[in-house]
Amino acid sequence: MSIGTVLSALTSSKLRTALVGLLVLVGAVGGAFAVGMLGVPSVATVDNTFGDVTNETTEVETDLVVSNPNPIGVGLDGVSVNYTVSMNDIKMAQGGREGVSVDAGNSTVPLETELRNDAIPPWWVSHVRNGERTEVGIDASVTSDLLGRTVEFSRDREITTDLLGAFDSNETRPVNADSALTDDPVLYVNETRGEWGSVSEAETPIDMAFTVYNPNLEPYVVTEIGYDVTMNGVEMATGRTEEGYVIPSRSSETIEFTTALQNRRLDEWWVTHLDEEVRGHQVSGLRIEFYAVIEFPGGEEVTVPLDELTYEETIETDIFDEGEDVRGSGDTDGSGTQGDGSGTDDTDGGNDTDDGSATDDTSGDGDSTGGNTTDDGNATDDDTTDDGSDDGDDGVLPL
């Protein structure tokens, strides 16, 4: 027998032994999973934060924590992770990675994906149509190709806002013309009301009503009401009424009109909302300003800024429930929520037939109160308790 033949026999024998050993190991591991001795990796939690923002996109940074219940690591090509962030079933961001290696215990898998800013207007429409309610859903999964199994994780957070609630007021506010043609105040606004109209993909209408009282002996005419709506300085709506209103002597008249936010400008607002240098991260200022054109009995007209009716609201959001990371010292009760809105977290993690599970329940709520005012249409206002702002915390809303 030649030396080559001997070496060939030995090599073939070792190769066969190694292959048999590998098959036995794979079979043992697979069998261990099959009988439940080893577990399938699952998602323990998903933490999202906003990263860099451009005019077109918003970066979403994700830390996906994978829980491996086994005493050994699981790798590489056979494990993949995927996740989706949705708001009212509108997909805002999707990401994933294949070839993930996880050690025993918990491993953090960092992911980055982009949210397109043009998804903000459709989400806003859904939020208003749903009664200012949004369900933020995070769905993630871990798939093992070797075992042919997937473990899923889901987390839902309901968010509510009340952006126009503080606009409703019975406070009496004077309208001063600052004109030599008449004495001030020329009129009083005894009541303001505002509610969302029928929102479309292009516009978000606000139906408004002012109850105006004329204390004079002669009728006055309001020929025009103008308005400007901004969010963080971004012009969302501007316009004026198309008809005039006669306010009879010592009588009241209700002036009704509609302003419409232009939804196409919401993505521009979104960039400022996430810019810490504007008002702070995830903070916006909503401002509505009014003016009136008043015609006196002699036919003269004067344009009057309705400064007393200027409406301001602070909007603070916490999309991913980052808590103190977003709110800082503004959170006074430690609950991670502020203002008129409330958010609740319900988590259902690790729902899988292979007994991999993970749970995560958190909750938050916020509330505020505002005063009511009555007035008999005269120049006094001793009973007024509402200055048009939110008594709680300047109307900060957790979105």
Side-chain angles (χ1 to χ4, degrees), residues 169-172 190 371-375 381 383-387:
S169 174
N170 293 325
E171 177 191 358
T172 292
N190 286 342
N372 294 321
T373 302
T374 60
D375 190 270
D381 193 21
D383 297 330
T384 300
T385 59
D386 185 353
D387 61 0

Side-chain angles (χ1 to χ4, degrees), residues 103-304:
D103 297 327
N106 290 342
S107 298
T108 300
V109 180
L111 302 168
E112 290 185 1
T113 189
E114 288 186 344
L115 180 159
R116 293 198 57 82
N117 296 344
D118 56 14
I120 297 301
W123 158 72
W124 170 269
V125 170
S126 74
H127 182 71
V128 176
R129 284 178 175 173
N130 201 33
E132 289 194 62
R133 292 179 178 272
T134 289
E135 182 173 310
V136 180
I138 298 176
D139 297 290
S141 64
V142 176
T143 300
S144 173
D145 294 338
L146 176 64
L147 302 173
R149 298 177 184 176
T150 298
V151 176
E152 297 181 345
F153 169 96
S154 63
R155 181 179 181 181
D156 296 324
R157 171 178 169 80
E158 185 182 77
I159 296 163
T160 63
T161 62
D162 185 12
L163 300 180
L164 299 179
F167 188 79
D168 292 353
S169 174
N170 293 325
E171 177 191 358
T172 292
R173 282 159 281 187
V175 177
N176 296 319
D178 293 327
S179 171
L181 300 175
T182 185
D183 295 330
D184 284 329
V186 292
L187 299 170
Y188 292 96
V189 176
N190 286 342
E191 182 180 16
T192 56
R193 292 286 179 265
E195 62 181 5
W196 299 114
S198 181
V199 63
S200 69
E201 299 301 320
E203 296 182 334
T204 305
I206 305 176
D207 296 330
M208 296 183 174
F210 295 166
T211 300
V212 180
Y213 175 77
N214 178 9
N216 301 287
L217 296 177
E218 297 176 295
Y220 278 43
V221 178
V222 178
T223 61
E224 179 182 316
I225 294 286
Y227 52 83
D228 290 289
V229 184
T230 58
M231 293 171 66
N232 272 359
V234 177
E235 185 180 279
M236 301 301 300
T238 185
R240 59 186 179 87
T241 57
E242 298 296 332
E243 60 179 307
Y245 296 83
V246 177
I247 316 299
S249 171
R250 295 188 176 179
S251 299
S252 296
E253 184 73 21
T254 298
I255 297 177
E256 298 179 340
F257 60 97
T258 298
T259 176
L261 307 185
Q262 301 302 305
N263 295 344
R264 69 181 184 275
R265 295 173 181 166
L266 285 166
D267 52 354
E268 182 181 350
W269 155 75
W270 175 256
V271 174
T272 70
H273 185 63
L274 298 185
D275 190 342
E276 294 184 359
E277 296 182 358
V278 177
R279 293 179 65 97
H281 183 56
Q282 297 195 53
V283 180
S284 288
L286 169 66
R287 183 179 177 89
I288 307 178
E289 298 177 278
F290 303 95
Y291 71 85
V293 178
I294 301 175
E295 181 182 306
F296 299 141
E300 303 89 348
E301 287 190 345
V302 61
T303 299
V304 181

Side-chain angles (χ1 to χ4, degrees), residues 8 16 22 77 80 92 118 123 139 189 223 246 278 312 399:
S8 177
R16 283 195 298 271
L22 179 60
D77 296 333
S80 61
M92 308 298 289
D118 56 14
W123 158 72
D139 297 290
V189 176
T223 61
V246 177
V278 177
E312 294 184 286
L399 180 63

Side-chain angles (χ1 to χ4, degrees), residues 86-103:
S86 61
M87 295 168 65
N88 283 346
D89 295 326
I90 299 172
K91 292 182 179 179
M92 308 298 289
Q94 286 183 293
R97 180 178 297 176
E98 297 182 352
V100 176
S101 177
V102 292
D103 297 327

